[in-house]
């Protein structure tokens, strides 16, 4: 029940805040922060309960919903979903903190914001594919309004592009879900039942797996369907880019792992080398394109594409270490991506009023605190030891090395991708912060970080470091949840 | 006392120091500096206790486990080899901290500097003590990070900023291979643990391979600045001079050597390549040193050259037939000799760098040796200690450098590689000569700038470390200096005897003193410009450009990598965003236009379409179509 509270709180917050007059910004943002904190607290309770019990799925609620098609309202959590619930809670809180100064139609903004978050929580909780799909769709709609109303630049184009991509992705996935419904012979959408009793023939798996995987992976930013991500992230207001990069992209990856790989292991084994190749293209391609971006936010946008490549690569390894790496990377990129977007989109932008790298001068002297915060975020993003990114990338690389189906070039390219990530991050840090001014002779300091900004940065950095230093925090809950998927894979491999 | 507790204390101390400075003492510069030195003193005391008393106990905690197949630990492997490296680290580290009290006295970023030093000490300690490859890699990266922050200390100087970036990226290129190598080792042997690895490598030597050795060696090439990734080290001299002494001469750049010695058994198949890389680096850097006028750059190239000697020694150990198997001799000859030279080099090179720091401080941050001159009169202690350093690096008999260089040449002499032997031997002559040039031009003749005229000897915080390092550069090569504490390393070093020993003494004398004399004759300190520049301007220009390695890399980055990425970005816009995404939208839009034109609201049009429909349907109904 506590897990379901996250959804209930989010949707209640959305409807309550939506009806508060927009002028009461203080009340609105306090309520928003309170709601975000409450969802986070609920997710933490789930975390500790799960640690204590360590069973398969917990807090399962099973209600009849549309008996005619066998759809139930069935929710429950395991370690994988809990890790993402916690992530969503953290990003939700910091998103509110970094939108602290937002005054324009704040009531509507937070109504959409929490509707989106509620949809995301719902996806992670659903144990029924039909329900999962409904939440998946719910999460798409608010994104359009948030970007189109509060966004910047080519915002309507970006919003439309993002929503169309999302819908196309979910339409493809829906097709796969219906195939599962019939292919199992069970006429049910129940995820657990399908996993335990669904008997999908090998031909069926070979054909349906790519449909499901691609359908979900579009939302995870898989190449060549990645272009919605940079455009959408850049046009979105900060809190929304944080959610998009931090959490929404994980919806896709979560679907790939839970549904596509979990239910169709034989198909997964067949297609793994292809996914592996696409994943390293994601990694290297995203990194190289990030290297030449002039707009700071686009750099981060493409870095998300690159980092999601590591999630896909980890998934394609289909082994214990690699899947663990993918799950860790989902969490890690969620935190770090959100932090990067927050600093570039809000902290730096509100002070300099530009995102163009060539317009930034002497920032290290003029706002040292902000620069250090970004440098720390950048180090985390480039996978420096001590941060969560290192742990997850190391897992993915070891997993990749152990995957016999992969060509040696996949691991070499993945290593090269790490190098390229490192390079563009460092190059962009230098372009943004250390370039001496040429035409401008101004050296006056910018305003220091506000309390809300500091709190947001501290929260995100805290989690990146905590997982980096003590990965057991996550691995101990992920391990039992990955076990049944690995078991299914082992059976399929014969 | 339990060793585990001491290890924990050792790791915590510098980390806490950095944290306290970063959180509370950012603006209280003097307090931060004194706090850092005090913490360094306690750190050194604990380390000395560990080195000489060797209390019982291990420390190891499991960091990560996964399904039993994959386990990562954090632990300490303390043996004679790590004890020796730890000794070097604390001696040079502590003296540099004291020196910095004087050198960084009026610096505006003093607190940040000392916090960075503490992080460096923490990271380096990790490399020294780590008991597994992943832990080494983790601290390896942290060392790179602290080096980055410290090179970037004067971040308002564009050259320092770009140097820090270059150092970090070039190191990372090496680490790319290093990481692949570590994964390769794990894939073959199924463990990261050094002790287990040694065991398994001995049992199944068939799993070792040249590829594995060379991938691991990539990390060494990056960190120890071997060819062709040497380009970052001369640029790294943009950092404050104490940093150059500690990080970019004595310890961090030597970490690659230490690592190779630690996992010597994994590197064996690649030793011939390793030997050649070291030899070429030694020769190349010694030649390029003649074209530098910046006092720190000359020392940087001399560091490169000496690191080349160490790497060559590693490789030669495998090729040479010399093995002195004492009771405790557990590590291989090559590794022992390399570590020996690492130790003495740490003493005299730290001395030379701190000496140059003393000069630079006295000359108000002037670094061009042709704007110095005549400093001997005013700066007696600096000059004399610097002179000791020059003689020690030149191999003057019975100073520290003589013994270690002697053993490297001995190895080379006994190996089958005559060319390597000749090259290394010839390079010692070059070493004496370029150091002679440096010493003569800096300290003698007339002052060539106003700053040099007003130079005065520095205070005790700066001079005292020089004196101590000067003494160490004299006595640091004798076996009695090391005692039996480091027997596994020192005991494995072969001693030259008979005629070869005489030859070494004579040539050592000849090259070091001769270097000074010839240096005086050729680069007459009363002249205002470089003799080589006047005699052979073309050659000198090539040397100034460091034989064009940097230019080639710049060309690659600007013309190949950046352009490639630009083209990729363009293709992304053109094909994926443009053709595929826009194209799909256009096709759908086109369908919309077509179907809209069918619903034009024009009655005549509808009648027309209706007629066509009737005809087509009729045709189908009658079986025509």
């Amino acid at each position: 029940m506590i897990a379901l509270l996250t959804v209930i709180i989010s949707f209640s917050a959305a409807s309550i805040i939506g009806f508060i007059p927009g002028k009461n910004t203080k009340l609105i943002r306090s309520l928003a922060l309170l709601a975000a904190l409450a969802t986070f607290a609920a997710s933490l309770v789930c975390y500790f309960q799960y640690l204590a019990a360590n069973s398969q799925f917990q807090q399962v609620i099973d209600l009849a919903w549309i008996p005619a098609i066998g759809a139930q309202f069935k929710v429950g959590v395991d370690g994988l979903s809990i890790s993402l619930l916690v992530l969503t809670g953290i990003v939700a809180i910091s998103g509110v903190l970094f939108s602290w100064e937002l005054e324009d139609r704040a009531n509507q903004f937070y109504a959409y914001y929490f509707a989106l978050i509620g949809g995301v929580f719902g996806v992670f909780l659903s144990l029924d594919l039909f329900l999962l799909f409904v939440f998946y769709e719910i999460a798409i709609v608010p994104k359009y309004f948030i970007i189109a109303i509060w966004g910047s630049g080519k915002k309507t184009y970006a919003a439309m592009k993002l929503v169309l991509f999302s819908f196309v992705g979910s339409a493809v996935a829906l097709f796969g879900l219906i195939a599962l419904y019939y292919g199992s012979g069970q006429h049910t959408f129940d995820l657990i039942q399908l996993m335990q009793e669904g008997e999908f023939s090998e031909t069926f798996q070979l054909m349906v797996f790519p449909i499901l995987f691609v359908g979900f992976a579009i939302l995870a930013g898989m190449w060549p369907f990645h272009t919605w991500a940079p455009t959408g992230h850049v046009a979105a207001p900060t809190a929304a880019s944080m959610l998009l990069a931090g959490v929404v992209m994980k919806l896709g990856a979560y679907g790939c792992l839970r549904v596509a790989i979990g239910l169709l292991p034989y198909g997964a084994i067949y297609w793994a080398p292809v996914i592996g190749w696409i994943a390293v293209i994601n990694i290297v391609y995203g990194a190289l394109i990030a290297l030449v971006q002039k707009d700071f936010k686009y750099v981060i946008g493409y870095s998300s594409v690159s980092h999601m490549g590591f999630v896909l690569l980890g998934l394609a390894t289909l082994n214990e270490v690699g899947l663990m790496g993918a799950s860790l990377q989902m969490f890690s990129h969620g935190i770090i991506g959100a932090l990067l977007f927050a600093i570039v989109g809000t902290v730096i932008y509100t002070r300099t009023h530009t995102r163009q790298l060539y317009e930034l001068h002497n920032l290290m002297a003029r706002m040292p605190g902000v620069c250090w915060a970004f440098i720390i975020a950048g180090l985390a993003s480039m996978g420096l030891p001590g941060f969560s990114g290192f742990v997850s990338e190391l897992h993915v690389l070891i997993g990749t090395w152990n995957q016999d189906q992969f060509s040696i070039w996949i691991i070499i390219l993945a290593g090269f991708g790490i190098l390229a990530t490192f390079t563009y991050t460092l190059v962009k840090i230098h372009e943004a912060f250390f370039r001496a001014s040429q035409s401008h002779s101004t050296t006056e300091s910018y305003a220091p970080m506000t309390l809300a900004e500091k709190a947001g940065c501290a929260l995100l950095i805290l989690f990146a470091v905590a997982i980096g230093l003590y990965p057991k925090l996550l691995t101990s809950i992920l391990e039992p949840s990955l076990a049944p998927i690995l078991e299914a894979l082992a059976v399929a491999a014969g | 006392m339990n060793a585990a507790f001491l290890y924990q204390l050792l790791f915590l101390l510098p980390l806490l120091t950095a944290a306290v400075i970063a959180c509370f003492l950012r603006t209280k510069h003097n307090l931060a500096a004194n706090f850092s030195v005090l913490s360094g003193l306690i750190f050194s005391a604990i380390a000395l206790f560990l080195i000489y008393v060797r209390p019982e106990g291990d420390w190891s905690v499991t960091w990560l486990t996964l399904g039993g197949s994959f386990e990562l630990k954090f632990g300490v492997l303390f043996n004679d080899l790590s004890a020796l490296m730890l000794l070097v680290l604390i001696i040079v580290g502590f003296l540099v901290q004291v020196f910095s009290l004087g050198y960084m006295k009026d610096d505006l970023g003093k607190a940040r500097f000392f916090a960075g030093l503490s992080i460096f000490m923490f990271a380096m300690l990790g490399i020294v003590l780590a008991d597994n490859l992943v832990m080494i890699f983790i601290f390896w990266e942290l060392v790179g990070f602290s080096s980055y922050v410290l090179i970037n200390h004067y971040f308002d100087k564009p050259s320092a900023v770009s140097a820090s970036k270059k150092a970090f990226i070039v190191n990372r290129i090496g680490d790319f291979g290093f990481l692949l190598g570590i994964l390769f080792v794990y894939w073959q042997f199924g463990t990261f643990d050094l002790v287990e690895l040694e065991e398994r490598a001995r049992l199944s030597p068939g799993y070792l391979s040249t590829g594995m050795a060379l991938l691991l060696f990539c990390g060494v090439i990056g960190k120890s600045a071997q060819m062709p990734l040497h380009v970052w080290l001369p640029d790294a001299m943009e950092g404050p001079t104490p940093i150059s002494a500690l990080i970019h001469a004595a310890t961090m750049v030597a970490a690659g050597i230490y690592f190779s010695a630690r996992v010597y058994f994994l590197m064996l198949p690649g030793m011939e390549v390793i030997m050649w890389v070291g030899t070429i680096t030694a020769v190349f850097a010694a030649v390029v040193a003649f074209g530098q006028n910046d006092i720190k750059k000359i020392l940087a190239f001399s560091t490169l050259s000496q690191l080349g000697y160490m790497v060559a020694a590693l490789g030669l150990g495998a090729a040479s037939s010399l093995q002195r198997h004492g009771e405790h001799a557990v590590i291989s000859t090559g590794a022992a000799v390399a570590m020996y030279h690492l130790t003495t080099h740490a003493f005299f090179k730290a001395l030379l760098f701190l000496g140059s720091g003393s000069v630079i401080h006295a000359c108000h941050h002037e670094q061009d040796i042709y704007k110095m001159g005549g400093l001997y009169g005013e700066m007696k202690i600096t000059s004399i200690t610097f002179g000791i350093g020059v003689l020690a690096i030149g191999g003057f008999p019975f100073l520290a450098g003589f013994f270690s260089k002697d053993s490297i040449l001995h190895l080379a002499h006994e190996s089958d590689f005559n060319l390597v032997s000749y090259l290394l031997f010839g390079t010692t002559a070059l070493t004496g000569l370029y150091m002679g040039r440096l010493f003569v031009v800096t300290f003698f003749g007339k002052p060539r700038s106003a700053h040099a005229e007003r130079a005065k000897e520095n205070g005790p915080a700066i001079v005292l470390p020089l004196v101590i390092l000067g003494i160490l550069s004299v006595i640091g090569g004798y076996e009695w200096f090391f005692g039996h504490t480091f027997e596994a390393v020192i005991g494995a070093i072969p001693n030259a005897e008979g005629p070869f020993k005489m030859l070494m003494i004579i040539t050592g004398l000849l090259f070091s003193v001769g270097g000074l004399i010839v240096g005086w004759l050729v680069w007459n300190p009363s002249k205002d410009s470089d003799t080589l520049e006047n005699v052979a301007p073309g050659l000198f220009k090539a040397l100034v450009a460091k034989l064009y390695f940097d230019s080639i890399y710049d060309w690659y980055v600007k013309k190949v990598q950046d352009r490639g990425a630009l083209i990729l970005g363009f293709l992304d816009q053109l094909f994926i965003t443009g053709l595929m995404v826009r194209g799909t939208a256009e096709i759908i839009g086109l369908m919309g236009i077509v179907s809209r034109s069918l619903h034009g609201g024009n009655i005549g049009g509808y009648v027309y379409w209706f007629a066509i429909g009737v005809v087509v349907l009729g045709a189908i109904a009658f079986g025509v179509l």
Side-chain angles (χ1 to χ4, degrees), chain B residues 54 111 134 192 197 209 219 221 467 473 576:
Chain B
R54 302 283 175 92
V134 173
F192 291 116
L197 273 176
S209 63
I221 292 183
V467 174
S473 299
I576 295 187

Side-chain angles (χ1 to χ4, degrees), chain A residues 1-4 42-62 74-82 85 124-127 192 258 476-477 480-481:
Chain A
M1 185 59 200
I2 292 163
L4 194 60
S43 69
L44 275 189
V45 172
C46 294
Y47 173 84
F48 286 111
Q49 278 188 351
Y50 190 80
L51 263 191
N54 249 9
S55 66
Q56 256 317 305
F57 285 97
Q58 289 188 342
Q59 310 183 31
V60 178
I61 298 173
D62 191 356
K74 186 170 182 181
V75 294
V77 287
D78 69 348
L80 184 62
S81 33
I82 290 174
L85 292 184
F124 294 142
L125 287 177
S126 302
L127 288 183
I192 299 177
R258 177 78 93 202
S476 54
I477 63 161
S481 321

Side-chain angles (χ1 to χ4, degrees), chain B residues 166-167 169-177 217-234 277 281 304 549 553:
Chain B
K166 185 171 176 180
I169 291 179
V170 171
N171 260 294
R172 198 68 199 224
I173 292 173
D175 294 347
F176 164 45
F217 186 61
C218 283
V220 179
I221 292 183
K223 194 116 298 178
S224 293
Q226 296 297 294
M227 296 263 277
L229 296 183
H230 63 278
V231 289
W232 68 271
L233 187 59
V277 169
T281 308
L304 282 179
F549 272 89
Y553 293 161

Side-chain angles (χ1 to χ4, degrees), chain B residues 452-498:
Chain B
E453 266 170 36
R454 288 197 293 272
K456 288 269 179 302
E457 185 62 281
N458 290 294
I462 289 186
V463 172
L464 199 64
L466 292 181
V467 174
I468 297 174
L469 284 168
I471 295 170
L472 286 171
S473 299
V474 176
I475 64 169
Y478 292 96
E479 275 191 45
W480 56 259
F481 173 77
F482 295 100
H484 290 288
T485 315
F486 315 101
E487 188 60 30
V489 183
I490 302 299
I493 298 164
N495 284 332
E497 274 152 18

Side-chain angles (χ1 to χ4, degrees), chain A residues 10 27 40 50 56 69 105 117 148 210 260 274 330 333 341 457:
Chain A
S10 306
L27 176 66
F40 178 59
Y50 190 80
Q56 256 317 305
I69 58 167
R105 295 156 84 179
I117 291 173
V274 180
M330 283 190 220
H333 173 252
F341 271 116
C457 287

Side-chain angles (χ1 to χ4, degrees), chain B residues 25-36:
Chain B
L25 302 175
R26 262 172 312 186
T27 49
K28 301 182 182 65
H29 289 295
N30 291 327
L31 195 58
N34 292 330
F35 178 65
S36 171

Side-chain angles (χ1 to χ4, degrees), chain B residues 198-267:
Chain B
E198 187 161 12
E199 186 76 25
R200 292 183 196 182
R202 210 186 51 232
L203 289 175
S204 42
Y207 285 160
L208 295 170
S209 63
T210 316
M212 185 196 288
L214 293 184
L215 280 174
L216 289 175
F217 186 61
C218 283
V220 179
I221 292 183
K223 194 116 298 178
S224 293
Q226 296 297 294
M227 296 263 277
L229 296 183
H230 63 278
V231 289
W232 68 271
L233 187 59
D235 288 30
M237 296 300 123
E238 292 289 344
T241 310
I243 294 309
S244 312
L246 175 62
I247 301 187
H248 304 121
T251 55
M252 179 185 98
V253 289
I257 316 295
Y258 171 73
F259 170 75
S260 309
R262 193 110 155 138
V263 297
Y264 194 77
F265 48 92
L266 294 176
M267 306 285 236

